Amino acid sequence: MIPGEAPQLFEGFTQCWLPVRLHSLPGFPLWEREVYDELHANFATLCAVFSHYCRSAGADSEEASRMSEAEWGAFCREARLLSKVFPGARANAIFHASMSSAHRALMLPHFIEAITILAFQRANPDIGRNTAVAQA
């Protein structure tokens, strides 16, 4: 736990971290601790961003806990994550590799996984350029 962190927030982060799949990324789990710490420290902000984009279509409360592909695209565009080197097709491949197959959307843990993979690929643009993100 981070000093001063509410136990509920820590529990929420722990529950979100458990299903995150990053094993397909080179070097993982050697850098797992750094990613865990960074995501943990920013979990409340990540929750707020996720919630904002899930509600972008005025969805009901159940739909507001799922991020559609269109909402993911809006997030990527508005956060200025797309470029000639990292086009929307790459971001969409990450969405599809990370999404919940049951809901065909990103739930919060899937969103955390997707933004981590996206950040890794943006920092390492030649990795994953010609292939979809491999997930088991």
Side-chain angles (χ1 to χ4, degrees), residues 20-29 31 94 97-98 113 116-118 120-121 127-128 131-136:
V20 171
R21 302 166 299 168
L22 302 175
H23 60 276
S24 67
L25 297 176
F28 190 81
W31 42 267
I94 293 168
S98 297
E113 176 181 312
T116 303
I117 293 169
L118 189 146
F120 182 91
Q121 288 190 9
I127 296 173
T131 59
V133 178
Q135 297 288 334

Side-chain angles (χ1 to χ4, degrees), residues 61-105:
S61 62
E62 184 177 330
E63 289 291 318
S65 66
R66 300 177 189 153
M67 182 178 283
S68 70
E69 186 172 0
E71 292 163 337
W72 168 254
F75 162 71
C76 289
R77 282 187 307 279
E78 291 173 18
R80 298 185 180 171
L81 300 174
L82 307 177
S83 67
K84 285 184 179 182
V85 175
F86 200 91
R90 284 186 77 182
N92 288 343
I94 293 168
F95 174 89
H96 286 282
S98 297
M99 74 177 183
S100 163
S101 58
H103 300 292
R104 309 264 321 141

Side-chain angles (χ1 to χ4, degrees), residues 13-25 28 31-32 35-36 39 43 98 107-117 135:
F13 176 71
T14 301
Q15 292 304 311
C16 282
W17 178 253
L18 291 174
V20 171
R21 302 166 299 168
L22 302 175
H23 60 276
S24 67
L25 297 176
F28 190 81
W31 42 267
E32 179 177 11
V35 171
Y36 175 92
L39 292 170
F43 184 62
S98 297
M107 309 301 270
L108 183 58
H110 306 118
F111 174 70
I112 289 172
E113 176 181 312
I115 62 170
T116 303
I117 293 169
Q135 297 288 334

Side-chain angles (χ1 to χ4, degrees), residues 1-5:
M1 275 183 64
I2 297 170
E5 179 180 31

